[in-house]
Amino acid sequence: QVQLQESGPGLVKPSETLSLTCAVSGYSISSGYYWGWIRQPPGKGLEWIGSIYHSGSTYYNPSLKSRVTISVDTSKNQFSLKLSSVTAADTAVYYCARGGRVERSAFDIWGQGTMVTVSS
Amino acid sequence: QSALTQPASVSGSPGQSITISCTGTSSDVGSYNLVSWYQQHPGKAPKLMIYEVSKRPSGVSNRFSGSKSGNTASLTISGLQAEDEADYYCCSYAGSSTKVFGGGTKLTVL
């Protein structure tokens, strides 16, 4: 079955860049589907960060767009998130998830999430 | 792009039915039949329960149903069970290839 696994540093210093990778198993990213990143600050709700198609087309949350880059590496069957100039407000559990065949579809498969703390 | 509005909490007794509302605007919920609902147990990843307003993924109990009227979508859980106690989030397509989530609702099974 399709599985997603996030990985990356659990601690990032303020003003630096947060970098996470989502490894996909059980399905080839090149075959289609949109893939997304969602985050959840401690004790708070979910926030959509952005999504990407295997072709590289990207869609970002307008409130984060200036700091976010999502990329895909089909050779490694993974996609990545970079969030620049982080502050304490970016402390959250970051999830990667599979969207549907079109960019407006729901996220049907999620990774377990990875906690990222922004602190000096 | 503002978060969709959900009640902070709802509660019900086993066997009862509850409904969670999700209010957006004419730019998101009201314009598209693309509302989804997610269940999240503590410390776990969200799980898709409803998509495209009222469709259930394979494996999701038919006790879960969704609907929409105007700018407000709703999730109804019938025959409430202890295992339904969780946080629930709505999400809507908001145009221009963007999505917006609700603030979340904590369901307590009494």
Side-chain angles (χ1 to χ4, degrees), chain A residues 56-112:
Chain A
S57 299
T58 52
Y59 311 91
Y60 299 136
N61 185 323
S63 67
L64 297 169
K65 188 174 184 177
S66 63
R67 299 193 293 129
V68 174
T69 301
I70 296 176
S71 59
V72 64
D73 186 339
T74 54
S75 67
K76 295 182 178 179
N77 214 41
Q78 63 186 33
F79 60 105
S80 300
L81 168 70
K82 291 188 185 297
L83 181 65
S84 64
S85 304
V86 298
T87 69
D90 295 310
T91 293
V93 175
Y94 285 76
Y95 294 100
C96 59
R98 188 182 78 169
R101 293 286 185 183
V102 295
E103 86 283 6
R104 56 188 68 187
S105 300
F107 295 110
D108 63 345
I109 300 173
W110 294 61
Q112 65 184 27

Side-chain angles (χ1 to χ4, degrees), chain B residues 41-78:
Chain B
H41 288 108
K44 300 295 186 181
K47 174 187 176 183
L48 179 65
M49 305 301 284
I50 295 287
Y51 67 100
E52 293 176 12
V53 175
S54 60
K55 298 178 180 178
R56 275 189 313 274
S58 174
V60 172
S61 171
N62 59 9
R63 298 187 298 104
F64 292 82
S65 61
S67 62
K68 191 189 86 167
S69 178
N71 297 338
T72 299
S74 299
L75 172 71
T76 297
I77 309 174
S78 59

Side-chain angles (χ1 to χ4, degrees), chain A residues 37-41 45-47 49 64 83 89-90 92-95:
Chain A
W37 287 98
I38 301 97
R39 70 179 182 179
Q40 184 172 37
L46 301 169
E47 180 181 34
I49 298 172
L64 297 169
L83 181 65
D90 295 310
V93 175
Y94 285 76
Y95 294 100

